[in-house]
Amino acid sequence: MGAHHRPAHAGAGTATGSTRVTRSIDVRPGGLWRYEMSGHGMRYATWVRYHRVEAPALLVYEVGSDTPDRPAHFQVTVTFATVGAATELTMRSLFPSAAARNQVIDEHHAIEGGQQTLARLDSHLHDQALAFAPIPRLGTPFVISRTMAAPRALVWTAWTDLTALLRWFGPQGCTLTAQSIDLRPGGVFHYAMETPGGTMWGKWLFREVVAPVRLVLIQHFSDATGGVTRHPFSPHWPLLTYSVLTLSEAAGQTTMTLTWSPWDGDDLARSTFDTARPDMERGWSGTLAALLQYLQSVTKDRSP
């Protein structure tokens, strides 16, 4: 499919419903960032040419489409200012005319796209801080274990391969959808779960990935942009939970143990987690039964 000529939205970020593939990036004065955006049934090439790169305070660049020999659509200035323990990021886009500015606002929803992009950046920075933060005082864990007639490598794949995970993970009657899984410390798995009552979003933030033995992650409810949200039906549920999956193999069988704990919640969150243990047992038992069924189907398919 060829690239469509379309102005990139302000800031050259990624809005909800869009994906970006970087072809090359060279962040220095005169350097180029070339990528392709896909979304809303369209695919188009975009380029960024950097004019000023003054770390960590200033970026100035111009944005265009198709190839860098074409005229730029607009220029962007990004400033970074320290405000207490936070950083204030300001993006200013300069267009050749008011009509050009109004076109990207009215036709390409540049303001909404810019807000979504900055929300995703904020979520990403939050994720990175959590991925490498010291482990706080955890609550009393919920532990569930199963021994399965499958090799450890296959069970590991079931938990970490996107195609496999989408086939079994989640409560009965629910369907999981996701675009990718970034299996590395600091990587995320952001998914949507279609339930009879609507769509719920969730996210895993990986802290340890030791294949095929140990997977450690922080889990939370989310929204379409990847932000942290409260449990949709239990407002006092811990905002973050900490999961440790371990796999051990003996005589062709794999013992899987999942330990799930509140992450530094208050007393009410810990109490809510503790009183939900019978529901967690039922829910995880159903999910692991689906895992076992998936493993049996894969093992049968692989049999000679």
Side-chain angles (χ1 to χ4, degrees), residues 43-57:
R43 175 181 166 196
Y44 48 97
T46 302
W47 55 265
V48 167
R49 179 180 287 112
Y50 295 97
H51 292 295
R52 296 175 64 185
V53 179
E54 300 175 11

Side-chain angles (χ1 to χ4, degrees), residues 19-90:
T19 58
R20 183 185 60 235
V21 176
T22 292
R23 301 306 180 190
S24 62
I25 185 168
D26 182 10
V27 186
R28 62 181 176 84
L32 285 170
W33 175 20
R34 303 187 68 173
Y35 59 89
E36 289 184 355
M37 293 284 292
S38 299
H40 309 291
M42 299 185 70
R43 175 181 166 196
Y44 48 97
T46 302
W47 55 265
V48 167
R49 179 180 287 112
Y50 295 97
H51 292 295
R52 296 175 64 185
V53 179
E54 300 175 11
L58 176 71
L59 285 173
V60 180
Y61 54 85
E62 60 182 0
V63 181
S65 59
D66 295 331
T67 59
D69 59 347
R70 299 178 63 93
H73 297 304
F74 56 91
Q75 180 173 288
V76 179
T77 299
V78 188
T79 58
F80 305 83
T82 300
V83 180
T87 299
E88 181 181 70
L89 185 156
T90 303

Side-chain angles (χ1 to χ4, degrees), residues 248-299:
S248 59
E249 185 175 21
Q253 293 191 320
T254 299
T255 298
M256 186 217 79
T257 301
L258 179 67
T259 303
W260 196 22
S261 311
W263 173 280
D264 200 23
D266 58 23
D267 290 342
L268 182 56
R270 293 170 186 269
S271 175
T272 301
F273 186 89
D274 288 339
T275 57
R277 291 177 188 275
D279 292 333
M280 287 188 277
E281 181 71 36
R282 286 190 293 270
W284 275 111
S285 293
T287 296
L288 296 182
L291 170 59
L292 180 59
Q293 185 177 16
Y294 165 78
L295 294 171
Q296 290 172 340
S297 68
V298 173
T299 302

Side-chain angles (χ1 to χ4, degrees), residues 138-151:
L138 299 173
T140 303
F142 167 81
V143 181
I144 191 166
S145 185
R146 294 287 187 276
T147 298
M148 304 173 178

Side-chain angles (χ1 to χ4, degrees), residues 17 51 53 58 88 107 129 137 188 221 224 228 239 241 259 285:
H51 292 295
V53 179
L58 176 71
E88 181 181 70
E107 296 182 18
R137 181 176 65 93
V188 300
F221 288 91
V228 180
L239 194 61
T241 56
T259 303
S285 293

